[in-house]
Amino acid sequence: MLMLGQTIFNGIVIGSLYALVALGLVIVFKSTNRINFAYGQMAMFSTFIGYTLLAKFHLPFMLAFIGALVFSALLAVLVRNILRPAKSESSVIVATLALYMIFTAVAGIIWGWDPVSFPQVFTGEPFSVFGIIMRPNDLFNILLTVILMLMLFLFFKFNLNGIAMRALSQNLVTTSLMGASVNKLFTITWAISGILGGVAGILVAPTSFLDTNLMAVFLLKAFTAAVLGGFTSYPGVVIGGLSLGVMEGLVSSYISTDLMDTFAFVLLIIVLLIRPEGILGKRIRMLGKTSSTEESGEFDSSRPGMSMRKKLAFLIVSIALPFVFQGNTYILYFAVLTGIYMILAIGLDFLVGYTGKISLGHAALLAIGAYSSVILTSKVGFPFWLALLSAGIITGLVGLLLGFAALRLSGLYLAIVTLGLGTAVPQILLKWDEVTNGYTGLHAAIPSIGFFIIDTEFEMYFLVLAIVIVTIIVTNNILRSKIGRAFVALRDSEAGAEAMGVQLAKYQILAFVISAFFAGIAGSLYAHVVGFISPADFSIWNSLLFISMLFIGGVASIPGAMLGAAFMTMVPIFFAGSKSISAILFGGALLIIILFFPSGLAGFYKVGLNIGKRLFSRNSIGLKGPAEEEGTNVATRNK
Amino acid sequence: MSLLEINNISISFVGLKAIDSLSFSVDEGSTVGLIGPNGAGKTTVFNCIARYFKPDQGQILFRGEDLLAFKPHEVIEKGIARTFQNMELFRSMTVQDNLLVGQHSRVNTGFFINAFSLRKKKINESQIKDKAAAVMDRFGLTPYANSRVISLPYGIQKKVEFARALVSEPKLILLDEPAAGMNPNETEEITELIKQLRSVDGITVLLVEHDMKLVRSICDEINVIDFGRKIAHGTPEEISRNPQVIEAYLGRQEENEYARA
Ligand SMILES: Nc1ncnc2c1ncn2[C@@H]1O[C@H](COP(=O)(O)OP(=O)(O)OP(=O)(O)O)[C@@H](O)[C@H]1O
Ligand SMILES: [Mg+2]
């Protein structure tokens, strides 16, 4: 009984922090309809600022605390302004992921990657109330959270801005008609959100250590709390946070401590599938289907797949490369990795590019492929080729489940769920050590086909190249068939596609299966080429790298996916040893591309080509058919 | 014999009764108009037939079969194609590809046939490309075959959507304001194309359109609805003389003028 009381109390202490972060996410979402995946990293960054003020400038705690919050508010406003050019939901998501990477890397450069300890606000002796042990700091957490929430409620209830802001979240048009300065309101919302995050960071830091990953798992918990509470109701979100804290406590003290973090993810999935509107949220009634997304115009699906010329160029370069660098195993090894990531990227593109569904957890699928393949070869005794195929099929089945779940989830929720998957799978691999060998990882067998043992980089190169070529051919065929057209049609207009007989559910699930299948194949190859896998290879950070490589290369384009994969393996080579510099480069490139050049590197290539064409054929006027008049007359007259 | 029969359907959205016990039928081979003031519920009727909405009550029969038993994507297989008032084109795709998606329900090749580009796929592809080419030719879209839809002027886009509905070889075509926003020349072309549906393909047409001249010139009969209820039915002459219809249109106009003042 006593233990139960203690568990509940501890749950409330941690739950109130979940609630704070969740509130910060939700007020921004409600007013500006943007979800900030960098929120946790911003809080981490502000906490480090507080740390510097304390440790380097020796300010008193309260001053440092306030300093960090001021910084946090300013940072939030800055982020808001950076995100302005992003129009669509998915570009906001990806842009905040880019910021996630940048903040992490910059923090790593400034404060290092090693954890530091952060002082508690109150360091008094614990005392006991009815046998429940409480520390003054715990009470301070709860108190501060309650005060902040009350202030928020009062702010929204009585303040004129608050009233306008509530109106805003209900109807943007009326508010602008009301003459409220929408822009100022948005800025205030973001600043408040930043402060909430900063407070949470400073309260969370003493419970563990302060490092760049301080808020990564926390963010997922906050999403769970927000979803639990319905994403739109403030009291709902607070209750969501508190109950998540308590439930986690119960799971860890009565079932297993190891399951604690995975629990939040499982809960998230269950809630989203059963009651997507959460505990208190209003059911959002959707009549009919949402029609065409505003973003589909950014894509060019006029020539899906890869042209014959590009295929030939790739073939020539890729066959010549190993002979040029025959002695250089270092380069060959990275070329092999590039090939593996190309398979993954092309698969990911089926989802992100062609079907318009985001996946922030693709490293999890890679992991499932890799572990399946290693376990099948070493424990079951499958030959390599069979394990490779099985890894694809097993991962494809996981994709099938994910696809079913995704049918009920809109863009934002899908992003959260896949982020959850990406966070949960490495955790599960870590904990499930009878099979996965935990931290230590597993050794993978050297691949062989029949009697032919593939043990040099040179041979592996051709193995991977063969699979890359098959991948390209199959992808090309799919894209230029009924199936590929159905994917793109669904992305451009669900209503239009359904009216033409395209079965939404079938094709959406199929896209997940294909994508996962390729991820599984890539995972298997990765395991056997590298020779060793551990959960660290498949962290959420890798998932973010994958999504950014795709956007950097250019979505909805096979050459784009391939360029992205090459970029991803190449950058760390040039900046060997500096994780931070390459992360900044990645994040920065991703941010610029998503905000200003939606067609990625593949698009640059096209621009370059056009300039080249113009330079070399100045007198070819008059050959222009209507097909080349693109972009001249984009009329959207409405009646 | 009536091809499409709408029996006493009603649907309401959060308190608003958009369609109220509406019945009418469309005879095979005829061209029927569905008109009414803004917000009368015309598009909602289309959405019920296309199965986007489920009527709260009533029955929709197509060739004697209960349409409400089918899903949205099955409606076209039954032989009903539609256009949308606000155009639901696949904007990043070419005109040709839009027309290929239009034939989605006509192709039944499985996954592996497509993934490995087997012979059956190639035969199918060339068949549907021929069909698309024929329709594009008829609609004057051939020059735009390889242009992305989003790069085309509005009038052309409207035609692409019309062509996409026709290319599936439906028995009944639902046109939601095909001439909206078109200039007189374009309207003339569209009128001609709609006439051909009957004379060339023998397709039955249910037409929603605000351009009364167009409606009068091609419809055999007209149903007029207002506030979701049928207020009149008859030949174009009968309708243009019907006092209730005149009242509905004029009344609404006065209201609008009042609102504007
Ligand atoms: N999905 C929906 N949710 C709520 N109300 C709707 C929905 N669709 C239509 N309505 C309402 O139903 C009524 C009928 O709308 P509908 O679009 O069918 O009119 P319409 O006759 O096509 O008008 P118009 O000539 O302007 O196209 C309108 O009052 C409209 O606001
Ligand atoms: Mg309408």
Side-chain angles (χ1 to χ4, degrees):
Chain A
M1 199 57 223
L2 232 148
M3 180 173 155
L4 183 65
Q6 184 74 53
T7 306
I8 291 178
F9 175 77
N10 292 348
I12 291 176
V13 172
I14 188 84
S16 58
L17 297 179
Y18 295 156
L20 266 188
V21 179
L23 269 181
L25 286 168
V26 167
I27 59 169
V28 162
F29 180 70
K30 271 193 84 168
S31 58
T32 59
N33 225 338
R34 303 198 147 179
I35 204 74
N36 183 0
F37 282 95
Y39 192 50
Q41 298 318 90
M42 287 157 62
M44 171 276 293
F45 209 94
S46 316
T47 310
F48 264 117
I49 295 283
Y51 170 79
T52 304
L53 294 179
L54 272 179
K56 297 269 145 56
F57 295 91
H58 305 290
L59 289 186
F61 192 92
M62 267 308 137
L63 272 184
F65 192 87
I66 291 169
L69 295 191
V70 169
F71 174 83
S72 190
L74 292 177
L75 184 66
V77 172
L78 175 72
V79 166
R80 192 235 146 180
N81 283 305
I82 292 176
L83 291 182
R84 261 190 202 189
K87 292 284 179 304
S88 63
E89 189 180 46
S90 68
S91 57
V92 172
I93 293 175
V94 177
T96 58
L97 292 175
L99 290 173
Y100 180 115
M101 300 172 97
I102 294 173
F103 290 142
T104 311
V106 174
I109 291 173
I110 302 178
W111 292 288
W113 300 97
D114 300 324
V116 296
S117 63
F118 193 87
Q120 294 191 339
V121 183
F122 287 106
T123 40
E125 285 297 305
F127 55 91
S128 144
V129 180
F130 304 121
I132 297 172
I133 297 165
M134 305 180 179
R135 287 168 303 170
N137 199 56
D138 296 339
L139 292 181
F140 176 74
N141 278 9
I142 298 181
L143 196 70
L144 189 62
T145 310
V146 170
I147 290 174
L148 278 171
M149 285 173 208
L150 279 180
M151 275 167 57
L152 259 185
F153 290 136
L154 292 181
F155 176 76
F156 280 107
K157 265 235 143 61
F158 295 115
N159 186 300
L160 208 142
N161 280 340
I163 290 169
M165 201 127 74
R166 258 186 305 152
L168 198 62
S169 61
Q170 268 143 27
N171 189 343
L172 187 62
V173 184
T174 10
T175 324
S176 53
L177 288 181
M178 275 163 53
S181 158
V182 176
N183 192 29
K184 200 169 128 200
L185 284 180
F186 282 175
T187 309
I188 295 176
T189 322
W190 276 85
I192 294 177
S193 164
I195 292 173
L196 290 178
V199 171
I202 290 173
L203 297 185
V204 172
T207 64
S208 59
F209 285 102
L210 172 57
D211 70 1
T212 50
N213 272 327
L214 177 72
M215 302 298 279
V217 175
F218 221 86
L219 186 72
L220 186 67
K221 305 267 177 81
F223 274 129
T224 311
V227 167
L228 210 55
F231 237 106
T232 45
S233 139
Y234 298 125
V237 167
V238 174
I239 294 173
L242 296 180
S243 43
L244 177 63
V246 172
M247 279 189 279
E248 270 189 354
L250 293 175
V251 167
S252 86
S253 43
Y254 292 98
I255 302 174
S256 149
T257 330
D258 291 346
L259 283 178
M260 209 176 100
D261 288 332
T262 327
F263 170 75
F265 171 64
V266 174
L267 188 69
L268 175 72
I269 299 254
I270 293 174
V271 173
L272 281 179
L273 291 186
I274 295 175
R275 199 180 150 76
E277 68 278 14
I279 307 169
L280 288 188
K282 287 189 205 82
R283 188 164 217 126
I284 305 162
R285 230 186 126 195
M286 294 245 292
L287 293 162
K289 305 272 158 37
T290 44
S291 64
S292 54
T293 40
E294 75 280 23
E295 58 204 282
S296 65
E298 290 171 6
F299 295 106
D300 182 352
S301 308
S302 55
R303 277 167 210 84
M306 204 168 170
S307 65
M308 210 53 193
R309 214 185 317 158
K310 280 185 196 142
K311 268 191 239 166
L312 269 180
F314 173 71
L315 207 61
I316 292 168
V317 171
S318 60
I319 290 181
L321 187 128
F323 293 100
V324 176
F325 295 107
Q326 194 159 12
N328 195 333
T329 54
Y330 183 73
I331 287 190
L332 282 187
Y333 178 74
F334 277 100
V336 172
L337 278 186
T338 306
I340 294 173
Y341 289 130
M342 280 177 180
I343 299 170
L344 181 84
I346 291 173
L348 185 57
D349 213 6
F350 268 101
L351 274 190
V352 178
Y354 297 108
T355 319
K357 300 276 161 202
I358 198 124
S359 165
L360 306 185
H362 240 60
L365 296 175
L366 191 73
I368 291 168
Y371 275 88
S372 315
S373 182
V374 171
I375 290 167
L376 286 175
T377 45
S378 60
K379 302 211 168 139
V380 187
F382 272 27
F384 165 72
W385 63 270
L386 189 58
L388 176 74
L389 207 62
S390 311
I393 292 170
I394 292 171
T395 317
L397 289 176
V398 175
L400 186 76
L401 293 181
L402 202 59
F404 269 110
L407 282 182
R408 305 203 38 169
L409 305 174
S410 74
L412 164 66
Y413 285 150
L414 186 61
I416 296 176
V417 164
T418 50
L419 184 78
L421 184 75
T423 318
V425 166
Q427 297 250 3
I428 294 170
L429 292 176
L430 215 56
K431 301 283 157 64
W432 194 20
D433 47 13
E434 309 97 77
V435 178
T436 64
N437 215 9
Y439 258 117
T440 343
L442 290 172
H443 279 283
I446 291 168
S448 62
I449 294 170
F451 291 107
F452 189 66
I453 296 167
I454 302 165
D455 56 354
T456 66
E457 272 74 14
F458 190 74
E459 288 158 358
M460 283 182 187
Y461 181 90
F462 281 100
L463 169 72
V464 171
L465 179 62
I467 298 175
V468 169
I469 289 174
V470 173
T471 304
I472 293 174
I473 292 174
V474 167
T475 303
N476 235 16
N477 287 342
I478 293 177
L479 291 177
R480 291 178 178 174
S481 76
K482 172 188 178 176
I483 299 171
R485 289 191 296 262
F487 288 152
V488 177
L490 279 173
R491 183 194 69 198
D492 282 5
S493 162
E494 278 186 12
E498 276 198 302
M500 295 302 121
V502 178
Q503 198 177 345
L504 180 95
K506 178 178 154 187
Y507 284 95
Q508 204 164 301
I509 291 172
L510 184 61
F512 273 92
V513 172
I514 297 176
S515 185
F517 177 82
F518 283 132
I521 296 282
S524 168
L525 287 174
Y526 178 86
H528 295 284
V529 163
V530 177
F532 174 78
I533 49 172
S534 76
D537 296 344
F538 309 103
S539 68
I540 192 73
W541 183 259
N542 285 297
S543 294
L544 297 187
L545 284 181
F546 297 153
I547 197 95
S548 47
M549 91 180 155
L550 191 59
F551 275 92
I552 289 173
V555 277
S557 141
I558 299 179
M562 293 166 71
L563 277 175
F567 184 80
M568 184 175 123
T569 28
M570 237 96 96
V571 167
I573 300 179
F574 289 120
F575 300 93
S578 174
K579 180 186 169 190
S580 342
I581 302 274
S582 45
I584 288 177
L585 217 78
F586 257 104
L590 181 59
L591 191 64
I592 291 169
I593 278 177
I594 196 73
L595 294 181
F596 305 108
F597 304 96
S599 47
L601 288 179
F604 285 149
Y605 159 80
K606 220 179 228 167
V607 172
L609 201 71
N610 279 344
I611 293 172
K613 259 191 200 154
R614 224 169 289 159
L615 283 181
F616 290 108
S617 60
R618 261 184 227 141
N619 43 9
S620 64
I621 319 159
L623 285 174
K624 277 195 170 178
E628 285 170 82
E629 283 174 24
E630 292 201 348
T632 46
N633 203 347
V634 191
T636 33
R637 262 190 284 157
N638 257 329
K639 68 157 209 120
Chain B
M1 189 206 119
S2 54
L3 185 67
L4 177 76
E5 216 175 299
I6 296 197
N7 285 332
N8 200 26
I9 58 165
S10 297
I11 187 170
S12 22
F13 301 120
V14 253
L16 172 95
K17 200 140 198 183
I19 301 182
D20 191 357
S21 323
L22 179 73
S23 304
F24 67 90
S25 62
V26 177
D27 285 343
E28 181 139 27
S30 64
T31 299
V32 175
L34 180 64
I35 65 168
N38 286 113
K42 306 175 296 289
T43 301
T44 308
V45 171
F46 273 22
N47 283 334
C48 287
I49 300 172
R51 298 294 299 105
Y52 279 100
F53 297 152
K54 190 172 185 63
D56 302 333
Q57 65 161 59
Q59 201 184 25
I60 302 179
L61 296 178
F62 182 69
R63 308 170 88 202
E65 238 182 325
D66 180 15
L67 255 194
L68 297 183
F70 298 102
K71 303 213 171 66
H73 66 89
E74 289 166 334
V75 170
I76 199 166
E77 288 166 31
K78 296 282 133 200
I80 305 179
R82 71 173 296 191
T83 67
F84 294 82
Q85 185 172 353
N86 293 320
M87 287 199 286
E88 293 285 348
L89 283 166
F90 312 127
R91 300 186 303 160
S92 67
M93 297 167 97
T94 61
V95 172
Q96 171 177 277
D97 281 354
N98 269 269
L99 298 204
L100 296 186
V101 179
Q103 299 173 76
H104 184 88
S105 59
R106 305 259 144 220
V107 187
N108 53 356
T109 44
F111 177 77
F112 289 99
I113 289 179
N114 283 311
F116 297 107
S117 222
L118 303 183
R119 221 170 73 85
K120 188 171 171 207
K121 175 197 169 188
K122 288 182 181 150
I123 296 173
N124 260 314
E125 283 284 299
S126 72
Q127 276 171 354
I128 60 174
K129 275 184 185 152
D130 289 348
K131 174 83 195 161
V135 173
M136 283 190 289
D137 190 39
R138 178 162 152 193
F139 278 65
L141 292 172
T142 312
Y144 309 102
N146 295 317
S147 308
R148 276 201 305 164
V149 164
I150 195 174
S151 69
L152 297 172
Y154 174 87
I156 307 284
Q157 291 193 13
K158 272 291 224 210
K159 275 206 224 164
V160 174
E161 208 190 23
F162 189 174
R164 187 183 67 177
L166 175 62
V167 80
S168 66
E169 299 183 343
K171 299 197 175 59
L172 169 68
I173 208 165
L174 312 174
L175 298 173
D176 199 343
E177 307 200 6
M182 303 281 234
N183 64 33
N185 269 343
E186 292 168 329
T187 307
E188 194 61 38
E189 275 181 74
I190 291 286
T191 312
E192 197 45 46
L193 287 168
I194 300 175
K195 280 184 183 159
Q196 283 179 9
L197 289 180
R198 182 197 341 227
S199 59
V200 178
D201 318 77
I203 294 175
T204 312
V205 181
L206 180 59
L207 171 74
V208 166
E209 182 53 64
H210 281 293
D211 183 337
M212 286 314 292
K213 187 167 149 264
L214 194 165
V215 174
R216 255 199 301 270
S217 71
I218 55 179
C219 290
D220 305 311
E221 47 183 298
I222 296 174
N223 292 289
V224 190
I225 60 173
D226 192 16
F227 295 115
R229 273 187 305 262
K230 182 152 106 177
I231 59 169
H233 170 230
T235 62
E237 282 78 56
E238 286 165 1
I239 293 301
S240 55
R241 275 182 277 117
N242 187 315
Q244 252 183 307
V245 177
I246 298 168
E247 155 72 24
Y249 272 89
L250 283 184
R252 200 59 67 85
Q253 231 159 39
E254 271 163 23
E255 237 170 67
N256 284 349
E257 269 155 30
Y258 181 75
R260 244 178 265 136

